[in-house]
């Protein structure tokens, strides 16, 4: 008797395992056949769940970002000083955030139409910050932009101070801190 497969769980597993492959090998260098072989599935299974490589990639990135947001909110829920909690989260997740940024930048370079998707993902981070830290949208956008700037600097210059150090220096400049 054929075993029953939880299609949603299988799809989520593919997305979760695909993201590190894109991060390691690069969006452009990784084809569906190589993805399937690395994931130990058939290309048919990939195309059953995802119309194309760009769709699989976007959904893998979206899933990863949602996981990051869930972890950030869990970290912030136990903090009285939510800004300190955010800085702690950014420090703890710096390596994964760098990986997400690197993958997003490569995708943007490989696909001129990627700008809309990247904009959507950045807005997701901004909305989460605004809602859960009680920030106005402009301030949340500024925090995302500052974080992106620090992460970009870390990508370009591995000798740059760690994210937490750089963002703490900025918060120390804020009035009343």
């Amino acid at each position: 008797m054929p075993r029953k497969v939880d299609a949603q769980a299988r799809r989520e597993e593919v997305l979760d395992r695909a993201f590190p492959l894109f991060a390691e090998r690069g969006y452009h260098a990784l084809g569906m056949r190589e993805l399937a072989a690395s994931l130990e599935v058939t290309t048919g299974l990939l195309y059953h769940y995802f119309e194309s490589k760009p769709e699989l990639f976007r959904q893998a990135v979206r899933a990863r970002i949602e996981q990051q947001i869930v972890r950030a909110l869990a970290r912030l829920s136990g903090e009285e000083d939510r800004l300190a909690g955010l800085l702690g989260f950014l420090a703890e997740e710096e390596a994964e955030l760098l990986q997400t940024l690197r993958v997003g930048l490569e995708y943007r370079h490989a696909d001129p139409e990627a700008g809309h998707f990247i904009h959507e993902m950045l807005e997701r981070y901004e909305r989460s910050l605004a809602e859960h830290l009680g920030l106005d949208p402009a301030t949340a956008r500024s925090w995302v932009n500052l974080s992106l700037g620090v992460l970009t600097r870390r990508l370009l210059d591995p000798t740059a101070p760690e994210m937490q150090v750089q963002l703490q220096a900025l918060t120390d400049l804020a009035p009343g801190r």
Side-chain angles (χ1 to χ4, degrees):
M1 182 167 183
R3 66 183 176 126
K4 273 199 148 176
V5 175
D6 181 345
Q8 183 62 26
R10 182 71 168 142
R11 188 176 176 286
E12 289 172 9
E13 178 189 359
V14 167
L15 290 173
D16 195 48
R17 292 179 56 214
F19 181 86
L21 294 171
F22 281 116
E24 177 186 322
R25 299 183 196 158
Y27 173 80
H28 190 66
L30 193 59
M32 290 294 266
R33 282 191 200 124
E34 188 179 358
L35 258 170
S38 296
L39 296 171
E40 300 174 340
V41 300
T42 65
T43 54
L45 181 126
L46 292 181
Y47 283 113
H48 173 74
Y49 290 123
F50 312 99
E51 183 177 301
S52 63
K53 182 175 95 169
E55 180 190 349
L56 188 158
F57 174 82
R58 287 188 301 266
Q59 289 189 32
V61 170
R62 186 175 284 115
R64 184 56 54 112
I65 287 172
E66 289 302 324
Q67 291 168 5
Q68 290 169 355
I69 289 170
V70 165
R71 286 193 307 271
L73 297 180
R75 175 78 158 76
L76 295 174
S77 69
E79 292 284 340
E80 198 169 306
D81 182 347
R82 292 189 168 210
L83 184 55
L86 176 61
L87 291 176
F89 168 78
L90 293 171
E92 292 165 7
E93 298 282 330
E94 182 176 356
E96 183 166 324
L97 294 168
L98 282 167
Q99 188 179 61
T100 304
L101 176 59
R102 186 173 39 256
V103 167
L105 289 172
E106 185 196 357
Y107 178 56
R108 179 66 175 100
H109 180 72
D111 182 354
E113 302 297 315
H116 177 73
F117 171 72
I118 291 171
H119 176 77
E120 178 188 327
M121 294 300 94
L122 292 173
E123 282 189 331
R124 178 68 181 104
Y125 281 125
E126 292 165 8
R127 278 192 312 275
S128 291
L129 278 179
E131 290 171 18
H132 298 285
L133 291 180
L135 302 174
D136 65 89
T139 302
R141 181 173 296 116
S142 293
W143 269 103
V144 169
N145 290 342
L146 288 169
S147 299
L148 283 171
V150 170
L151 286 167
T152 301
R153 174 67 189 261
R154 295 276 293 153
L155 277 178
L156 297 173
D157 177 8
T159 66
E162 291 180 349
M163 185 169 200
Q164 184 176 17
V165 171
Q166 293 184 60
L167 290 175
Q168 185 62 56
L170 289 170
T171 60
D172 289 347
L173 296 173
R177 291 233 15 119

